[in-house]
Amino acid sequence: MSMTGAQALWESLLREGVTEVFGYPGGAILPAYDAMLAYPIRHILVRHEQGATHMADGFARASGRVGVAIATSGPGATNMVTGIATAMMDSSPIVCITGQVGSKLIGSDAFQECDITGITLPITKHNYLVTRAEDVAPAIREAFAVAKAGRPGPVLVDITKDAQQGTCEIDWAATEPHLTEARDDALPGDGDASEAIALINRAERPLILAGHGVMLSGAEREILALAEKAEIPIAVTLLGIGGVPASHPLNLGMMGMHGEAWVNTAIQRADLLLALGMRFDDRVTGNLKTYAPTARKIHVDIDRAELNKNVRVDVAIAKNLRTALAEWLPGVARGDRSSWLRYLEELKGDSAVRDIQNLPDNGHLYAAHVINDLWRLTGGNAVVVTDVGQHQMWEAQYYKHDLPRSLITSGGLGTMGFALPAAIGAKIARPDAEVWVIAGDGGFQMTMPELATIVQEGLDINIAIINNGYLGMVRQWQEFFYERRYAATPITGPDFVKLAEAFGIWGRAVDRRADVVDVVTAARQHDGAALIDFRVEQEDSVYPMVPAGADLHKMIRRPSPIVETAAD
Ligand SMILES: Cc1cc2nc3c(=O)[nH]c(=O)nc-3n(C[C@H](O)[C@H](O)[C@H](O)COP(=O)(O)OP(=O)(O)OC[C@H]3O[C@@H](n4cnc5c(N)ncnc54)[C@H](O)[C@@H]3O)c2cc1C
Ligand SMILES: Cc1ncc(C[n+]2csc(CCOP(=O)(O)OP(=O)(O)O)c2C)c(N)n1
Ligand SMILES: [Mg+2]
């Protein structure tokens, strides 16, 4: 088959099952855009290339499919860097395609030339510089295979203008990637199923730490089967939320810096930790020297490099989690851990008296209340895409996710500005889902031009801005650790309702708890995008909090009881 490199690009994307791409045109990618018109692929025009990468990422996280972002050379490509790093840190499979100056101009500081493969080398799983038309199809095909294989992640394909314009003969069968199979075989020192089973069957106070890998490997059923058979409680990471239903009686909730106090206490008291598809991030462990001091540890991760990286373990298994759990299940004995479960239940009582949900209504509008109301009103069925900051932690605590892939959030890089574009990607991937953005007033302002993308594409996305007039999470650190010196954290913004209206979006502001239900209901009923500006209590803090690097059990707790009046 004879075609141009540009045609080979779209033909390859079609063959990978791609139906939507997120992008922004420019000179070096123009031949590809010109060829695009002949292919049945929907192009979503973004307002900034960072948005395209977050959209591809949100698309991937919501669906499990590979998201695709396209940009021109130079500034188009460099605008993608933050989104690529975000996807890399959270193991999200995306393919980014960039135009590059003509191959003969490379190295001449040509107009909009930039070494994007050099720049993205450390933040991609792999990247390609394609300089000949005949190499386009094999590179795209391999890029998809690499993005999905093993531990997923971002791949970049940089295609010179002459490679897009040149013609070539393509034998599709010959474009099949020849990747070395990921090594699933054990190496010396690796643990095996029998060692894991023996530790589980002996344990009196076991605890599962369920991470993002549960969803990435599709092990939602197997992990519950293990927990139920052996009566093992489960703690989840931020990115593990949704992998185990929040309403399951064995699910204790989130661990770590802003995790539930009883979960962190459970980790410190456990005699066995089963770390399943999670990577012991420092937000999760606190001080490594005092982490889970009484526990033996089993770690399953598909990426061997994660094993014994942050936490030394007794049994390290480099394997797809679902396969590993299926191997363990027959050998795991039915357990009775009722005294351990009773102990954990008692710990919860102490937290309940401090929980803001249980405090009397004092007339103030708290973010935690807003998010809890959103959870109730959406029946817990929405796909929620958060930004980064206090609102992100309150979402994790107070929106109870029962469904996998229903919380989409930037965990590892913590990228402000992620939510709005990632929600667009999620909505494109799952048009029938009710999609909510929960963003802070700071992060929202980083990518708010994507409101125009929502309107141009006619997307029905609901947006909740948790507007506290501060870069709240940083303000909280200043309150706790810098004697309330609020350097550069008070932040103003536009009138978000008028802003929404300027874009042609329905908007309302809420500053009383009594109005939350009515306005959220109206937003849900409104046909088309809706934005709510929740003007919340300005100086509230997220509790509990393990100060960075502190022992996991040394948490700052919400003072209890808070006796406040409406006049406070
Ligand atoms: C403001 C802020 C506060 C935060 N506070 C907290 C907090 O309190 N608690 C918390 O938990 N997090 C918190 N985080 C998030 C934290 O930084 C990490 O992103 C998160 O803990 C990572 O979760 P994870 O290890 O499950 O997921 P990932 O980082 O995505 O790691 C997943 C692991 O699973 C492995 N894997 C992938 N596929 C498979 C497979 N098929 N089989 C087996 N393994 C597989 C991967 O190799 C990887 O090691 C916070 C982030 C921010 C921005
Ligand atoms: C791109 C980027 N810049 C800076 C930070 C550091 N940071 C983390 S949380 C935060 C404050 C977020 O403020 P806002 O969006 O208003 O959310 P809030 O914490 O108030 O809910 C900042 C500045 C970041 N995570 N990302
Ligand atoms: Mg804020």
Side-chain angles (χ1 to χ4, degrees):
M1 205 188 280
S2 176
M3 59 177 68
T4 64
Q7 289 168 325
L9 166 65
W10 296 109
E11 185 68 36
S12 305
L13 292 175
L14 271 186
R15 285 167 184 256
E16 292 298 330
V18 173
T19 44
E20 292 91 5
V21 298
F22 306 93
Y24 205 87
I29 194 75
L30 213 65
Y33 269 87
D34 187 48
M36 177 179 81
L37 295 174
Y39 291 85
I41 288 184
R42 177 176 175 192
H43 178 271
I44 290 99
L45 178 67
V46 304
R47 295 301 182 271
H48 186 292
E49 293 85 351
Q50 178 185 349
T53 49
H54 292 327
M55 287 178 210
D57 188 346
F59 179 98
R61 296 191 204 211
S63 65
R65 296 164 59 198
V66 177
V68 180
I70 303 196
T72 194
S73 65
T78 54
N79 274 350
M80 288 182 142
V81 167
T82 300
I84 296 172
T86 304
M88 184 72 175
M89 284 293 266
D90 289 350
S91 297
S92 187
I94 65 172
V95 168
C96 296
I97 295 155
T98 45
Q100 181 56 281
V101 301
S103 56
K104 295 202 172 51
L105 293 173
I106 285 180
S108 71
D109 290 339
F111 177 63
Q112 296 195 328
E113 181 186 1
C114 161
D115 175 11
I116 196 62
T117 46
I119 289 172
T120 59
L121 190 67
I123 53 167
T124 48
K125 269 184 89 175
H126 194 47
N127 65 28
Y128 303 81
L129 172 59
V130 177
T131 56
R132 302 185 313 171
E134 59 266 40
D135 295 336
V136 171
I140 294 292
R141 205 158 166 191
E142 195 172 291
F144 275 77
V146 171
K148 286 185 283 194
R151 178 178 187 167
V155 179
L156 181 132
V157 186
D158 194 28
I159 311 175
T160 60
K161 199 165 183 179
D162 51 327
Q164 297 167 50
Q165 288 164 326
T167 36
C168 60
E169 287 296 321
I170 299 183
D171 168 5
W172 289 100
T175 62
E176 178 154 6
H178 296 289
L179 299 181
T180 321
E181 273 298 302
R183 291 182 65 111
D184 226 8
D185 46 335
L187 295 180
D190 279 2
D192 64 23
S194 62
E195 289 173 81
I197 292 166
L199 283 183
I200 295 169
N201 290 345
R202 267 207 310 274
E204 289 173 6
R205 299 185 310 280
L207 180 64
I208 290 173
L209 306 181
H212 193 193
V214 173
M215 283 172 279
L216 292 172
S217 74
E220 294 91 344
R221 283 227 316 271
E222 287 76 5
I223 199 166
L224 272 189
L226 169 68
E228 286 171 358
K229 186 171 184 191
E231 272 202 353
I232 307 178
I234 305 169
V236 294
T237 64
L238 176 67
L239 296 185
I241 287 176
V244 178
S247 59
H248 193 284
L250 286 171
N251 187 346
L252 300 177
M254 188 169 82
M255 66 185 90
M257 179 177 273
H258 293 296
E260 308 290 0
W262 62 84
V263 174
N264 290 341
T265 307
I267 290 171
Q268 297 301 75
R269 294 270 299 134
D271 67 355
L272 177 68
L273 290 184
L274 294 97
L276 307 179
M278 56 82 74
R279 61 179 176 83
F280 290 113
D281 184 272
D282 56 72
R283 274 351 187 208
V284 158
T285 59
N287 183 358
L288 285 170
K289 289 202 181 72
T290 56
Y291 181 70
T294 50
R296 308 289 295 275
K297 299 173 188 85
I298 303 171
H299 192 184
V300 183
D301 200 294
I302 202 162
D303 183 353
R304 181 177 292 283
E306 290 296 341
L307 301 172
N308 289 311
K309 184 180 86 175
N310 295 334
V311 172
R312 291 230 134 254
V313 299
D314 301 276
V315 179
I317 300 179
K319 204 170 252 189
N320 181 23
L321 179 60
R322 194 170 165 194
T323 317
L325 292 180
E327 283 170 11
W328 298 359
L329 269 170
V332 169
R334 292 202 172 275
D336 171 13
R337 266 99 190 189
S338 47
S339 69
W340 172 226
L341 294 176
R342 235 186 348 264
Y343 166 75
L344 297 174
E345 209 47 52
E346 279 159 24
L347 290 178
K348 287 187 188 175
D350 173 50
S351 294
V353 296
R354 300 165 187 271
D355 190 334
I356 189 164
Q357 303 301 342
N358 297 332
L359 301 175
D361 189 347
N362 62 7
H364 296 212
L365 184 64
Y366 287 100
H369 287 159
V370 170
I371 288 163
N372 208 239
D373 289 348
L374 267 176
W375 165 62
R376 276 181 229 286
L377 292 165
T378 55
N381 292 320
V383 172
V384 182
V385 188
T386 82
D387 219 78
V388 170
Q390 290 184 312
H391 64 280
Q392 177 188 29
M393 294 297 108
W394 281 315
E395 200 286 345
Q397 294 175 342
Y398 293 114
Y399 195 106
K400 309 290 177 190
H401 290 269
D402 276 346
L403 301 170
R405 301 186 183 277
S406 67
L407 170 58
I408 295 175
T409 193
S410 166
L413 202 67
T415 306
M416 284 172 71
F418 174 81
L420 188 65
I424 294 174
K427 184 69 183 176
I428 297 279
R430 287 167 55 186
D432 297 334
E434 177 175 352
V435 174
W436 276 86
V437 169
I438 297 185
D441 47 332
F444 183 76
Q445 292 187 64
M446 285 197 166
T447 51
M448 64 188 180
E450 301 300 346
L451 287 174
T453 309
I454 290 181
V455 174
Q456 185 165 356
E457 294 297 323
L459 300 174
D460 186 353
I461 292 176
N462 296 307
I463 300 160
I465 299 179
I466 304 297
N467 183 356
N468 53 11
Y470 278 104
L471 298 173
M473 185 54 93
V474 182
R475 186 209 59 77
Q476 175 170 342
W477 283 52
Q478 291 170 330
E479 177 184 335
F480 289 2
F481 313 118
Y482 293 84
E483 296 164 331
R484 290 182 184 258
R485 289 187 299 276
Y486 293 164
T489 45
I491 184 169
T492 61
D495 178 329
F496 288 112
V497 174
K498 283 193 182 147
L499 181 87
E501 285 166 0
F503 280 96
I505 290 175
W506 182 99
R508 294 284 185 281
V510 174
D511 55 14
R512 296 187 319 151
R513 177 125 196 230
D515 297 333
V516 173
V517 173
D518 284 352
V519 177
V520 170
T521 305
R524 297 184 71 220
Q525 282 167 357
H526 177 76
D527 190 16
L531 179 151
I532 310 175
D533 175 11
F534 289 103
R535 297 178 183 162
V536 299
E537 184 75 3
Q538 293 205 306
E539 294 191 44
D540 195 13
S541 292
V542 181
Y543 297 96
M545 177 176 191
V546 182
D551 303 342
L552 196 57
H553 52 282
K554 295 194 179 146
M555 293 162 272
I556 304 172
R557 308 288 300 274
R558 184 179 282 277
S560 170
I562 303 180
V563 182
E564 277 183 330
T565 66
D568 280 337

